[in-house]
Amino acid sequence: DDLPSHLRPHKDEKGRPLVKYTDNSSILVQQGFQRLRDRFKLLNKVRKILKGERTQHCFFNRVDRNDGVGVMFNKSRNKANYSNIMRCANAWGCPVCAAIISEHRKCEVKEAMDWWQGQGGSVLLLTLTVPHYSHTDIKQLKKDLKKAYSKFFKGVRASKDMFAKWQIEHYISCFEITHGENGFHPHYHILLFIPYAVGIGSHIGMEQDMYAVWKDCCTKSGLDEPSQKHGLHLQAGDDASNYVAKWGLEHEMTKGHVKKGRESFTPFDLLRLSDKDEPIFENKIPSKLFQEFAIAFKGARQLMFSRGLKHAFSIKDLSDEDVADSTLDEAEFLTDIEDLAFHLLCKYKKRAQYL
């Protein structure tokens, strides 16, 4: 009762608090287990679709055949994981490794954004895309789009002049893809680091300059000319922060190719649909579409930092393989798993439940 009246909890006529406080920790733990089970369930589907690929061995085969599989626990992450087990580090096609890698990259990006904004700079969100059609070959589209992207950021005099004019030195780009009525839709989301506060007038002028350069880069790369409405979009304010906040798998499967689509499907949506494998969009088979996507983007970089950015922000440069293996860093040994027991966990698809 020593609290000011406006801070005291409201009570009923018997003096009981009207607000009921509930401990949701057990619910959150259950949600975490469910997400883990979902990822391993999707990984089981990938193993059937991508036969002969490294992902087929992920969390299934041992690294050292002469050693057994163990369980480790990382206190800082509050998560258990397997030791001496192969990890494919495929950020495009493996739902388990994608979760690990994207969550780490999200932390890298947020660290860079927080530092930059703390120094008084701005971060804008730029989206780049091109016209695409249901008959477009995804491999060729990926190749041409990459060429246009390279021209936009480092290849033509107009782009260099534009970046110098607006004092844009650093950027982080993420390559994403969905599939809809017009086929595969690849696009870039790019965080632009601006060393000053961007007003409305500067924002409009910057977007117009960028569209003129992007349009030219696309046509010179063999692509159709993008419209100003759909080809380039520059967002200011909280949009960049909101984009990064939703980027990650620990809260919800919302990062890039893992976020659930509505009018279009992400690759992992296609993987979910492969259960029934019923045709979508002009009789396309989901499992075949996922296979086409995974093969086309195998080995491609998903997240790119401009040269010198990681050094400027003191971010350690780790490959996807390093990140996937980092789950065992600072982890404590819990127990060994007998060979037969692990074989049965794999056979009956209970690897997630065991963890």
Side-chain angles (χ1 to χ4, degrees), residues 106-116 313-315:
K106 172 185 174 179
C107 293
E108 289 182 336
V109 173
K110 190 175 185 306
E111 183 181 339
M113 284 184 62
D114 289 346
W115 186 91
W116 188 262
F313 296 156
S314 301
I315 297 174

Side-chain angles (χ1 to χ4, degrees), residues 236-251:
D238 296 328
D239 292 307
S241 297
N242 291 339
Y243 171 70
V244 175
K246 294 178 181 179
W247 189 11
L249 293 167
E250 290 310 298
H251 180 65

Side-chain angles (χ1 to χ4, degrees), residues 267-281:
F268 285 170
D269 283 333
L270 297 174
L271 197 55
R272 294 182 184 94
L273 293 174
S274 69
D275 259 343
K276 297 181 179 179
D277 233 11
E278 295 176 348
I280 58 173
F281 302 131

Side-chain angles (χ1 to χ4, degrees), residues 19-299:
V19 178
K20 182 178 181 180
Y21 297 95
T22 306
D23 181 4
N24 292 320
S25 58
S26 61
I27 297 175
L28 294 176
V29 169
Q30 280 300 116
Q31 289 175 342
F33 288 156
Q34 184 59 49
R35 289 195 294 268
L36 185 64
R37 285 195 292 268
D38 288 346
R39 291 173 202 148
F40 272 93
K41 182 179 179 180
L42 289 177
L43 180 57
N44 291 330
K45 299 180 190 296
V46 176
R47 294 189 68 249
K48 295 179 180 179
I49 296 172
L50 299 182
K51 293 183 178 179
E53 296 292 333
R54 186 179 177 184
T55 304
Q56 195 174 21
H57 305 287
C58 190
F59 283 91
F60 195 84
N61 292 337
R62 290 175 291 177
V63 176
D64 184 352
R65 292 178 178 271
N66 297 317
D67 197 5
V69 175
V71 176
M72 310 288 286
F73 183 75
N74 189 313
K75 287 185 178 179
S76 62
R77 292 165 52 88
N78 195 32
K79 292 178 182 178
N81 219 316
Y82 293 110
S83 63
N84 192 36
I85 205 73
M86 291 185 181
R87 292 169 172 79
C88 68
N90 184 349
W92 296 102
C94 175
V96 179
C97 287
I100 298 168
I101 294 167
S102 66
E103 188 61 23
H104 180 88
R105 299 303 184 203
K106 172 185 174 179
C107 293
E108 289 182 336
V109 173
K110 190 175 185 306
E111 183 181 339
M113 284 184 62
D114 289 346
W115 186 91
W116 188 262
Q117 291 171 333
Q119 305 302 307
S122 303
V123 181
L124 306 184
L125 176 61
L126 173 67
T127 302
L128 299 175
T129 189
V130 294
H132 53 95
Y133 314 98
S134 59
H135 60 270
T136 303
D137 178 70
I138 184 60
K139 285 187 177 181
Q140 188 61 45
L141 180 59
K142 170 195 165 191
K143 181 180 178 181
D144 293 340
L145 183 57
K146 184 179 179 181
K147 189 186 300 182
Y149 170 90
S150 297
K151 289 181 181 295
F152 183 78
F153 279 99
K154 26 188 159 166
V156 295
R157 180 61 182 269
S159 67
K160 292 178 181 178
D161 291 344
M162 177 193 65
F163 278 88
K165 172 184 175 180
W166 296 108
Q167 301 177 48
I168 303 171
E169 183 178 354
H170 294 302
Y171 56 87
I172 301 174
S173 65
C174 178
F175 194 35
E176 300 184 355
I177 189 167
T178 57
H179 188 279
E181 289 183 334
N182 292 325
F184 281 107
H185 172 214
H187 49 282
Y188 286 99
H189 288 305
I190 303 131
L191 298 174
L192 302 174
F193 291 78
I194 317 294
Y196 52 85
V198 179
I200 296 177
S202 297
H203 176 268
I204 295 173
M206 196 181 297
E207 187 173 49
Q208 290 174 343
D209 285 355
M210 288 182 176
Y211 171 69
V213 175
W214 176 240
K215 177 179 65 173
D216 187 52
C217 291
C218 289
T219 55
K220 287 182 177 179
S221 301
L223 295 163
D224 288 346
E225 181 179 306
S227 68
Q228 188 163 1
K229 181 179 179 180
H230 300 292
L232 184 146
H233 189 206
L234 185 64
Q235 297 169 269
D238 296 328
D239 292 307
S241 297
N242 291 339
Y243 171 70
V244 175
K246 294 178 181 179
W247 189 11
L249 293 167
E250 290 310 298
H251 180 65
E252 186 181 354
M253 296 184 96
T254 54
K255 155 67 177 69
H257 61 291
V258 256
K259 62 187 177 186
K260 298 178 182 178
R262 294 180 181 178
E263 295 181 358
S264 60
F265 298 104
T266 68
F268 285 170
D269 283 333
L270 297 174
L271 197 55
R272 294 182 184 94
L273 293 174
S274 69
D275 259 343
K276 297 181 179 179
D277 233 11
E278 295 176 348
I280 58 173
F281 302 131
E282 297 185 5
N283 294 320
K284 301 288 186 179
I285 305 301
S287 62
K288 296 296 182 183
L289 289 172
F290 179 83
Q291 184 182 55
E292 183 182 355
F293 151 80
I295 292 174
F297 285 84
K298 179 182 177 181

